[in-house]
Coordinates of all heavy atoms in Angstrom, one line a residue:
A229 N 149.0 70.0 54.5 CA 149.8 70.5 55.5 C 149.3 70.0 56.8 O 148.1 70.0 57.1 CB 149.8 72.0 55.6
Q230 N 150.2 69.3 57.6 CA 149.8 68.8 58.9 C 150.6 69.5 60.0 O 151.8 69.6 59.9 CB 150.1 67.3 59.0 CG 149.4 66.5 58.0 CD 149.9 65.0 57.9 OE1 150.8 64.7 58.5 NE2 149.1 64.2 57.2
V231 N 149.9 70.2 60.9 CA 150.5 71.0 62.0 C 150.1 70.4 63.3 O 148.9 70.3 63.6 CB 150.0 72.4 61.9 CG1 150.6 73.2 63.0 CG2 150.5 73.0 60.5
S232 N 151.1 70.0 64.1 CA 150.8 69.6 65.5 C 151.4 70.6 66.4 O 152.5 71.1 66.3 CB 151.5 68.2 65.8 OG 151.0 67.2 65.0
I233 N 150.5 71.0 67.4 CA 150.9 72.1 68.3 C 150.7 71.6 69.7 O 149.6 71.0 70.1 CB 150.0 73.3 68.1 CG1 150.2 73.8 66.6 CG2 150.4 74.4 69.1 CD1 149.3 74.9 66.2
D234 N 151.7 71.8 70.6 CA 151.6 71.5 72.0 C 151.2 72.8 72.7 O 151.9 73.8 72.8 CB 153.0 71.1 72.5 CG 152.9 70.7 74.0 OD1 151.8 70.6 74.6 OD2 154.0 70.4 74.5
Y235 N 149.9 72.8 73.2 CA 149.3 74.0 73.8 C 149.5 73.9 75.4 O 149.2 72.9 75.9 CB 147.8 74.1 73.6 CG 147.5 74.4 72.2 CD1 147.1 73.4 71.2 CD2 147.4 75.8 71.7 CE1 146.8 73.8 69.9 CE2 147.1 76.1 70.4 CZ 146.8 75.1 69.5 OH 146.4 75.4 68.3
K236 N 150.0 74.9 76.0 CA 150.1 75.1 77.4 C 149.0 76.1 77.7 O 149.1 77.3 77.3 CB 151.4 75.6 77.9 CG 152.6 74.7 77.5 CD 152.6 73.4 78.1 CE 153.9 72.6 77.7 NZ 153.7 71.2 77.5
V237 N 148.0 75.7 78.5 CA 146.9 76.6 78.7 C 146.7 76.8 80.2 O 146.7 75.9 81.0 CB 145.5 76.0 78.2 CG1 144.4 77.0 78.4 CG2 145.7 75.7 76.7
K238 N 146.7 78.1 80.6 CA 146.4 78.4 82.0 C 145.0 79.0 82.1 O 144.7 80.0 81.5 CB 147.4 79.4 82.6 CG 147.2 79.6 84.1 CD 148.2 80.6 84.7 CE 147.3 81.8 85.1 NZ 148.0 83.0 85.3
L239 N 144.1 78.2 82.7 CA 142.7 78.6 82.7 C 142.4 79.7 83.7 O 143.3 80.1 84.5 CB 141.8 77.4 83.0 CG 142.0 76.2 82.0 CD1 141.2 75.0 82.5 CD2 141.6 76.6 80.6
S240 N 141.2 80.3 83.6 CA 140.8 81.4 84.5 C 140.9 81.0 85.9 O 141.1 81.8 86.8 CB 139.5 81.9 84.1 OG 138.5 80.9 84.1
N241 N 140.7 79.7 86.2 CA 140.7 79.2 87.6 C 142.2 78.9 88.1 O 142.4 78.5 89.2 CB 139.9 78.0 87.8 CG 140.3 76.8 87.1 OD1 141.4 76.8 86.4 ND2 139.5 75.7 87.1
G242 N 143.2 79.2 87.2 CA 144.6 79.0 87.5 C 145.1 77.6 87.2 O 146.3 77.4 87.3
E243 N 144.2 76.7 86.8 CA 144.7 75.3 86.5 C 145.5 75.3 85.2 O 145.0 75.8 84.1 CB 143.4 74.4 86.3 CG 143.8 73.0 86.0 CD 142.6 72.1 85.8 OE1 141.4 72.6 86.0 OE2 142.8 70.9 85.5
P244 N 146.7 74.7 85.2 CA 147.5 74.6 84.0 C 147.1 73.3 83.2 O 146.9 72.2 83.9 CB 148.9 74.6 84.5 CG 148.8 74.0 85.8 CD 147.4 74.4 86.4
L245 N 147.1 73.3 81.9 CA 146.8 72.1 81.1 C 147.8 72.1 80.0 O 148.3 73.1 79.5 CB 145.4 72.2 80.5 CG 144.2 72.1 81.4 CD1 142.9 72.4 80.6 CD2 144.1 70.8 82.1
S246 N 148.2 70.9 79.6 CA 149.0 70.7 78.4 C 148.2 69.8 77.4 O 147.9 68.6 77.8 CB 150.3 70.0 78.8 OG 151.1 69.9 77.7
I247 N 148.0 70.3 76.2 CA 147.2 69.5 75.3 C 147.8 69.6 73.9 O 148.2 70.7 73.5 CB 145.7 70.1 75.2 CG1 145.0 70.0 76.5 CG2 145.0 69.5 74.0 CD1 143.7 70.7 76.6
I248 N 148.0 68.5 73.3 CA 148.5 68.4 71.9 C 147.3 68.3 70.9 O 146.5 67.4 71.1 CB 149.5 67.3 71.7 CG1 150.7 67.5 72.6 CG2 149.9 67.1 70.2 CD1 151.8 66.4 72.5
A249 N 147.3 69.2 70.0 CA 146.2 69.2 69.0 C 146.8 69.3 67.6 O 147.9 69.9 67.4 CB 145.3 70.3 69.2
T250 N 146.1 68.7 66.6 CA 146.6 68.6 65.2 C 145.6 69.2 64.3 O 144.4 69.0 64.5 CB 146.9 67.1 64.8 OG1 147.8 66.6 65.8 CG2 147.5 67.1 63.4
G251 N 146.1 69.9 63.3 CA 145.2 70.5 62.2 C 145.8 70.1 60.9 O 147.0 69.9 60.7
K252 N 144.9 70.1 59.9 CA 145.3 69.8 58.5 C 144.7 70.8 57.6 O 143.6 71.3 57.9 CB 144.8 68.4 58.1 CG 145.4 67.3 58.9 CD 144.9 65.9 58.5 CE 145.4 64.8 59.4 NZ 144.9 63.5 59.1
S253 N 145.4 71.0 56.5 CA 144.9 71.9 55.4 C 145.3 71.4 54.1 O 146.5 71.0 53.9 CB 145.4 73.3 55.7 OG 145.0 74.1 54.6
Y254 N 144.4 71.3 53.1 CA 144.7 70.8 51.8 C 144.9 72.0 50.9 O 144.1 73.0 51.0 CB 143.6 69.9 51.3 CG 143.5 68.7 52.2 CD1 142.5 68.6 53.2 CD2 144.2 67.5 52.0 CE1 142.4 67.5 54.0 CE2 144.1 66.4 52.8 CZ 143.2 66.4 53.8 OH 143.0 65.3 54.6
F255 N 145.8 71.9 49.9 CA 145.9 73.0 48.9 C 146.5 72.4 47.6 O 147.2 71.4 47.7 CB 146.7 74.2 49.4 CG 148.2 73.9 49.7 CD1 149.1 74.2 48.8 CD2 148.6 73.3 50.9 CE1 150.5 74.0 49.0 CE2 149.9 73.0 51.1 CZ 150.9 73.4 50.2
R256 N 146.2 73.1 46.5 CA 146.7 72.7 45.2 C 147.8 73.6 44.9 O 147.8 74.8 45.2 CB 145.6 72.7 44.2 CG 144.5 71.7 44.5 CD 143.5 71.6 43.4 NE 144.0 71.1 42.1 CZ 144.4 69.8 41.9 NH1 144.2 68.9 42.8 NH2 144.9 69.5 40.7
M257 N 148.7 73.1 44.1 CA 149.8 73.9 43.6 C 149.3 74.9 42.5 O 148.5 74.5 41.7 CB 150.9 73.0 43.0 CG 151.5 72.0 43.9 SD 152.4 72.8 45.2 CE 153.8 73.5 44.3

Side-chain angles (χ1 to χ4, degrees):
Q230 300 173 350
V231 176
S232 294
I233 301 173
D234 183 8
Y235 291 96
K236 306 290 186 217
V237 182
K238 187 181 112 194
L239 302 174
S240 55
N241 65 5
E243 180 184 356
L245 294 173
S246 180
I247 297 172
I248 295 177
T250 302
K252 297 177 183 178
S253 176
Y254 300 92
F255 67 98
R256 297 190 61 75
M257 300 294 293

